[in-house]
Amino acid sequence: MIQTRRIGDATVTRILEYSGPTHDPAFLFPEAERGDFDRLESIMAPHHWVPHMGKLIVTIQFWIVQTGSSIIVIDTGVGNYKPRQDIPRMHMLNTLVREWLVAAGAAPEDVTHVVMTHLHADHVGWNTTWQDGRWVPTFPNATYYFPEDDFTFCQEGKNKAPGVIDVFGDSFFDSVMPIMNEGLARLMRPGDEIADCLTVHSAAGHSPGQVTFRLESKGEVGIFSGDIFHSPLQIMRPEFNSGYCIWPERAREVRMQMLNQLADEDALLLPVHFGDPYCGYVRRQNGGFVFEPATW
């Protein structure tokens, strides 16, 4: 499924890899209680929370930005035929993402830039495709941009250190290093600009090098937020981290900064894991924040 909207002169298209009621909230948000979801049911259900199942709806999606001669893919999901035995729902997928890319006017050979908010396994998978017995770049004519601090963290093996939840795993070797070895990758830092339209901003906390991408055109703003938010729950209750945040206090600080920025700028929030309608706005309400779903 693809959906398209405009941000100024830029066309933004959403590509769905999969979405479903997959997560026990105690696993994804260990600090939350069932009552937190019940109190927010009118906002969370049915698109982000299924009360009778007690499950959160979690989506894997990525975004395409088309502006001028640039075709940019932002985050690349899980990928096809990736061995992920420890996460059955991600193991050896066989989806039609490639066909949807073509349908959206972003055939892999036409993509000019591929950018990652961070290097966790569910954000890098379609970087590579299995072909002739090896992992090759899915987007052969693109430049891939990896957050430098995430790359260094994995390259130095810190993701394997005792006590660290390794959300990078084998994806670093089958979806990141093949791109480096082909000479298609660049390491980016906050403050960089990509394709004359995306500015890179630090959002470390969920991972050591997570970044966001800001798109501004004709007074309209969109922010590709990576995993600052996994669910609208974290907009209403920003103190709740996911169980994957490597630096919990930093993650909370970044989330609050992002909420204030989104509300102040009337910016469109473009996350990776929300349910339908998959993007929206942050509004101030009663001293806190609330999620306002966007329309397509």
Side-chain angles (χ1 to χ4, degrees):
M1 182 171 67
I2 57 176
Q3 293 169 307
T4 299
R5 64 187 308 121
R6 301 281 294 183
I7 295 178
D9 287 330
T11 300
V12 178
T13 302
R14 188 187 73 88
I15 300 288
L16 176 70
E17 187 167 35
Y18 70 76
S19 184
T22 54
H23 282 63
D24 182 338
F27 173 78
L28 188 57
F29 298 118
E31 299 160 316
E33 298 178 354
R34 174 63 189 250
D36 295 309
F37 295 91
D38 292 338
R39 284 187 288 273
L40 296 170
E41 183 175 330
S42 63
I43 297 174
M44 292 285 290
H47 300 300
H48 311 284
W49 164 246
V50 182
H52 71 273
M53 294 178 69
K55 289 289 183 71
L56 286 159
I57 294 172
V58 176
T59 296
I60 304 290
Q61 62 189 4
F62 39 101
W63 301 94
I64 301 165
V65 175
Q66 294 166 290
T67 179
S69 60
S70 297
I71 301 176
I72 307 160
V73 175
I74 301 176
D75 286 332
T76 64
V78 175
N80 275 2
Y81 305 113
K82 295 293 167 79
R84 305 288 184 255
Q85 289 91 342
D86 55 335
I87 311 176
R89 67 181 175 276
M90 296 184 181
H91 181 58
M92 299 300 285
L93 295 185
N94 181 18
T95 70
L96 297 175
V97 164
R98 181 184 290 272
E99 286 76 8
W100 282 122
L101 285 166
V102 176
E109 61 272 16
D110 295 333
V111 170
T112 57
H113 305 75
V114 181
V115 301
M116 316 279 114
T117 58
H118 59 299
L119 300 184
H120 284 173
D122 55 336
H123 293 256
V124 300
W126 274 97
N127 288 351
T128 59
T129 300
W130 186 253
Q131 181 178 308
D132 298 327
R134 66 189 187 99
W135 294 108
V136 302
T138 302
F139 309 97
N141 300 312
T143 301
Y144 290 69
Y145 291 82
F146 299 147
E148 183 176 44
D149 288 348
D150 266 11
F151 182 82
T152 301
F153 187 79
C154 293
Q155 189 181 41
E156 294 177 351
K158 293 180 179 177
N159 57 309
K160 303 295 184 182
V164 174
I165 299 175
D166 183 17
V167 196
F168 302 95
D170 292 339
S171 65
F172 187 70
F173 302 104
D174 62 34
S175 303
V176 175
M177 286 309 301
I179 304 302
M180 294 295 295
N181 295 337
E182 290 287 336
L184 296 180
R186 295 184 185 175
L187 299 181
M188 64 183 168
R189 299 176 179 177
D192 288 351
E193 185 174 61
I194 297 171
D196 297 322
C197 67
L198 296 179
T199 54
V200 182
H201 297 268
S202 176
H206 178 65
S207 78
Q210 180 175 246
V211 299
T212 63
F213 300 106
R214 176 187 173 90
L215 171 66
E216 184 172 1
S217 178
K218 290 190 171 180
E220 297 181 345
V221 178
I223 296 179
F224 301 92
S225 61
D227 282 1
I228 294 176
F229 309 101
H230 276 79
S231 166
L233 173 71
Q234 293 171 290
I235 294 173
M236 283 81 78
R237 298 293 302 273
E239 71 273 21
F240 289 156
N241 280 330
S242 79
Y244 301 119
C245 292
I246 192 168
W247 297 333
E249 288 308 315
R250 182 82 175 272
R252 292 186 184 95
E253 292 170 4
V254 165
R255 191 172 303 114
M256 284 301 301
Q257 291 168 2
M258 178 56 63
L259 286 169
N260 280 296
Q261 180 182 357
L262 289 162
D264 288 345
E265 296 189 316
D266 191 29
L268 180 65
L269 171 65
L270 297 148
V272 174
H273 298 301
F274 283 25
D276 182 68
Y278 311 105
C279 61
Y281 298 91
V282 171
R283 307 300 188 198
R284 287 191 170 85
Q285 185 179 93
N286 300 326
F289 301 94
V290 68
F291 177 64
E292 179 184 301
T295 56
W296 289 97

